[in-house]
Amino acid sequence: MTVDVLQQPTRADRRARVAVAVLFLTNGALFANLLPRYPQIKADLGIGNAAYGLAVAAFPAGAMAAGPAAGVLVRRLGSARVAVIGTLLTGAGALAAGLADSVAVFAAALFLAGAMDAVTDVAQNAHGLRVQRRYGRSVINSFHAVWSIGAVTGGAMAAGAIALDLSRGQHLLVSGLLFGIAACAALRHCLPGPDTEPAEETEAAAGGDTRQERNTTGPRRTVYVLAALVLIATAGTLVEDAGNSWAALYLSDSLDASVTLAACGFIALVGAQFVGRLIGDRLVDRFGQRQVARTGGAVAAAGMGLALAVPTVPGTILGLAAAGLGVATLVPAAMHEADELPGLKPGSGLTVVSWLMRLGFLCSPPVVGLVADAAGLRTGLLVVPLAGLLVILLAGVLRSRQR
């Protein structure tokens, strides 16, 4: 493998890294401010679990619908500008969802927020990868860790607003303005110029020969591995959606937790996921991604399985934390492995996994809602331990520890 001599990041590069981190922070925080408000919105609209599940599925539906347009927008307007515009519109969608007076308006607002969130996600990652190329080493994981900080911050803000008895309109307007201003301020420090910096030389030096050397398996094996990677990534999204859409509702309705305490379920899941992302690289280097994923699946299955078997408020919050910790590395692992699959064009495997894993966010809310209406939300949340068991079964497609 060729080793390139890369220059040290300049002061502008370091400022751009901070700016991208701010974009990830705002992206994590904006929608997290709305999630703990879901139980109040559901109660005010007077809808059942099935209708609620279908309504909140509008968010991932919007994300899937808008995803293909993100690349075109980035090429025309630039990744940093698109990320900031998407951030502003995501905040507007969250505010509209909080003020919705009907299920249709609620779903439409979530569709807008989901679409803009997907565009923002692509754009901020594209700009983050530009910064990474300037640094000559991996920094993209640090941005995703900052996203988790933003999500925890947003959830905590929502809990505080609920405790202070702020209306949804007041709370979500403040959060939209705050993080919208932060994103606009970050824009001036992002990297200038077009997003067309060539990376082929770096890719060829880093992985081109290796990809050819690994291209020894047949197409059937490639398809099987790719399908397994999609399921692993989807398992991660299923667990995330349980925290996003159902944690506060389960704690408040099924376990009679206060509205403020119910918000802690989501915070626990995302906070533990952040910790997992912080330590994940070191664990993977030491034990290999396969073992880390299997262990994580076991932690998620055991933690949330025990919480559902013996339902208590503290136990459920701890179970959600275990689930978040267990799935912290799954999506990055599946994406990385898919990008290295032989027999595919560079980026093709990554694109497939990124696209199809959104089905977890799209299908999970209505399915869990239907099960909850038929057998209770406690039964519907069995999707979390089942996702952990699925990871244990499929983790063999991931790499073991490098020797």
Side-chain angles (χ1 to χ4, degrees):
M1 182 182 294
T2 304
V3 178
D4 294 334
V5 178
L6 299 168
Q7 63 181 14
Q8 292 295 318
T10 65
R11 184 176 180 181
D13 297 335
R14 290 192 290 270
R15 285 201 301 265
R17 182 179 181 179
V18 174
V20 175
V22 171
L23 293 177
F24 272 81
L25 178 78
T26 59
N27 182 247
L30 269 176
F31 197 64
N33 268 277
L34 176 63
L35 294 175
R37 294 287 196 169
Y38 274 2
Q40 293 175 330
I41 295 172
K42 179 177 179 291
D44 289 347
L45 295 178
I47 55 178
N49 288 323
Y52 167 78
L54 288 170
V56 298
F59 185 88
M64 293 195 72
V72 176
L73 292 172
V74 166
R75 286 191 295 271
R76 291 185 177 180
L77 302 176
S79 57
R81 190 176 292 112
V82 171
V84 173
I85 294 172
T87 296
L88 297 176
L89 292 176
T90 300
L95 175 60
L99 296 175
D101 57 0
S102 69
V103 178
V105 173
F106 180 54
L110 289 181
F111 187 92
L112 170 64
M116 292 303 99
D117 179 76
V119 169
T120 303
D121 187 47
V122 171
Q124 68 188 11
N125 274 284
H127 207 78
L129 290 171
R130 282 189 67 191
V131 173
Q132 179 169 279
R133 289 193 290 271
R134 296 290 191 97
Y135 268 70
R137 57 184 173 85
S138 177
V139 297
I140 196 70
N141 288 323
S142 67
F143 296 140
H144 286 269
V146 171
W147 183 94
S148 294
I149 294 176
V152 172
T153 300
M157 286 176 61
I162 293 170
L164 294 173
D165 201 27
L166 291 179
S167 70
R168 291 195 297 271
Q170 292 172 324
H171 160 218
L172 294 171
L173 178 62
V174 169
S175 103
L177 289 174
L178 174 64
F179 294 113
I181 291 171
C184 291
L187 178 60
R188 62 184 301 221
H189 298 293
C190 289
L191 295 173
D195 292 87
T196 55
E197 297 171 343
E200 288 81 2
E201 295 85 356
T202 302
E203 291 175 359
D209 295 338
T210 302
R211 183 184 294 273
Q212 292 299 323
E213 290 171 3
R214 292 182 62 203
N215 192 10
T216 58
T217 58
R220 289 185 179 180
R221 171 66 180 174
T222 299
V223 171
Y224 163 75
V225 173
L226 186 59
L229 293 174
V230 168
L231 289 174
I232 289 172
T234 302
T237 64
L238 288 173
V239 174
E240 287 185 35
D241 181 72
N244 293 349
S245 302
W246 300 104
L249 197 62
Y250 176 66
L251 284 164
S252 61
D253 287 3
S254 300
L255 300 182
D256 297 323
S258 67
V259 177
T260 303
L261 187 58
C264 293
F266 167 74
I267 296 172
L269 188 146
V270 178
Q273 189 178 54
F274 166 68
V275 173
R277 286 171 175 168
L278 279 183
I279 65 176
D281 288 334
R282 283 174 288 179
L283 292 175
V284 169
D285 288 340
R286 181 170 183 180
F287 300 107
Q289 186 60 70
R290 182 184 303 168
Q291 186 59 44
V292 172
R294 279 180 175 158
T295 303
V299 169
M304 197 61 192
L306 182 61
L308 293 172
V310 187
T312 64
V313 171
T316 298
I317 293 174
L318 288 176
L320 289 165
L325 181 66
V327 304
T329 65
L330 293 185
V331 171
M335 289 181 171
H336 177 265
E337 195 70 28
D339 203 40
E340 296 291 326
L341 275 177
L344 298 177
K345 294 180 180 179
S348 297
L350 174 61
T351 301
V352 171
V353 170
S354 299
W355 175 257
L356 291 181
M357 77 175 190
R358 292 185 181 274
L359 289 174
F361 288 117
L362 180 62
C363 298
S364 177
V367 170
V368 173
L370 288 170
V371 174
D373 277 348
L377 186 51
R378 180 181 170 194
T379 302
L381 286 176
L382 285 173
V383 67
V384 176
L386 290 175
L389 294 175
L390 182 65
V391 172
I392 296 173
L393 293 174
L394 297 176
V397 301
L398 299 171
R399 298 185 192 184
S400 58
R401 183 167 63 93
Q402 298 294 318
R403 296 183 181 276

